[in-house]
Amino acid sequence: MTSTLQTGFSIAVAAYLLIRMERRLDELAIAINNLEKGVAKYFGEV
């Protein structure tokens, strides 16, 4: 019983952290794309 609870808790924590990390990675990808556009615009490549 204890082993099952520990495993379930570990899975829940891992899932929570992965969901939070996924959102942050999406925001990072958007920021990188915006930076790329800004640099290209600054150097006149667009």
Side-chain angles (χ1 to χ4, degrees):
M1 175 83 176
T2 304
S3 156
T4 305
L5 289 175
Q6 289 176 344
T7 303
F9 178 75
S10 297
I11 291 172
V13 169
Y16 172 75
L17 292 174
L18 285 172
I19 289 170
R20 287 183 51 97
M21 185 183 295
E22 181 182 7
R23 182 178 52 192
R24 298 288 168 103
L25 289 174
D26 289 342
E27 292 172 359
L28 179 61
I30 291 170
I32 291 171
N33 285 334
N34 289 339
L35 178 62
E36 179 184 11
K37 290 176 186 175
V39 169
K41 188 174 184 180
Y42 179 78
F43 288 109
E45 295 177 10
V46 172

